[in-house]
Amino acid sequence: MEKELKRTGVPDNRDVDSVYPGKERLASGAVAVLECFQRIPCNPCATCCPRKAIKAFHDINDLPIIDWEKCNGCAICVANCPGLAIFVIDENYSPTEALLKLPYEFVPLPRAGDEVKVLNRAGQEVGVGRVVRVQNPPSFDRTAVVHLAVLKELAREVRFFILGGAEGE
Ligand code: SF4
Ligand code: SF4
């Protein structure tokens, strides 16, 4: 793990690049990104994936390794990761927007159609997004997965959101 990441807890571009799918895979549909940088005893991502896209761990402290070709972006791992370290990105959701599937553990849950403020990895507000769908089945055990449409140019930056749209709305 890079020193700066260890100090701040916020991954920089180099950290993010190291776990991001290549352009070609991103262009071909929804895919999971695992921003898991710290060796900790944790493996639900590897055990929950129905497509076995995340390699079985040899050691419980292993960092996850994903085969992006097997991943279909279902987001089951997003809900199962206790570290909230996984999200799904679909870069070509519309001509102007990408779709992010983000874990969300607060109440109230947003609703489809809500406009929300979107935040980067450092918690800074970088724009607005639109909630498209909220998945919260019992099998997700209270970690909802919120499908959020954001401008394509923000897709790589956004990792969280807060309820409430642009000022004055
Ligand atoms: S998004 Fe679905 S298919 Fe992809 S790694 Fe996660 S659980 Fe597996
Ligand atoms: S479940 Fe999440 S925190 Fe645990 S190893 Fe997998 S990606 Fe990392």
Side-chain angles (χ1 to χ4, degrees):
M1 187 168 39
E2 297 297 330
K3 264 189 193 163
E4 193 58 13
L5 173 59
K6 213 167 185 174
R7 193 177 66 78
T8 63
V10 180
D12 62 18
N13 285 339
R14 207 160 52 151
D15 300 317
V16 174
D17 283 348
S18 73
V19 295
Y20 232 72
K23 273 188 187 160
E24 221 169 275
R25 178 61 190 87
L26 285 168
S28 73
V31 66
V33 181
L34 285 66
E35 293 191 348
C36 181
F37 301 105
Q38 201 172 2
R39 286 173 57 82
I40 49 169
C42 178
N43 71 350
C45 55
T47 57
C48 76
C49 176
R51 300 171 70 94
K52 303 206 181 320
I54 300 172
K55 210 171 159 187
F57 287 17
H58 289 299
D59 180 319
I60 187 76
N61 295 297
D62 282 351
L63 291 178
I65 297 172
I66 180 168
D67 179 344
W68 287 302
E69 299 312 315
K70 289 185 183 167
C71 174
N72 68 352
C74 71
I76 289 173
C77 58
V78 175
N80 276 273
C81 169
L84 308 182
I86 309 178
F87 65 99
V88 165
I89 179 167
D90 181 354
E91 273 203 340
N92 291 318
Y93 175 64
S94 81
T96 55
E97 292 171 319
L99 187 78
L100 299 175
K101 300 182 187 178
L102 300 171
Y104 193 78
E105 294 187 329
F106 295 95
V107 284
L109 287 174
R111 286 179 302 190
D114 284 353
E115 191 171 88
V116 296
K117 294 173 183 172
V118 294
L119 311 180
N120 65 15
R121 291 173 180 79
Q124 295 155 336
E125 195 178 323
V126 291
V128 291
R130 179 171 44 86
V131 175
V132 172
R133 183 182 171 203
V134 178
Q135 286 179 281
N136 192 26
S139 61
F140 281 9
D141 193 21
R142 289 163 290 169
T143 300
V145 175
V146 175
H147 298 212
L148 193 65
V150 298
L151 287 175
K152 278 183 198 280
E153 51 268 35
L154 290 178
R156 207 180 166 95
E157 258 190 278
V158 172
R159 284 295 278 119
F160 196 61
F161 62 88
I162 48 176
L163 302 187
E167 289 302 319
E169 290 187 12

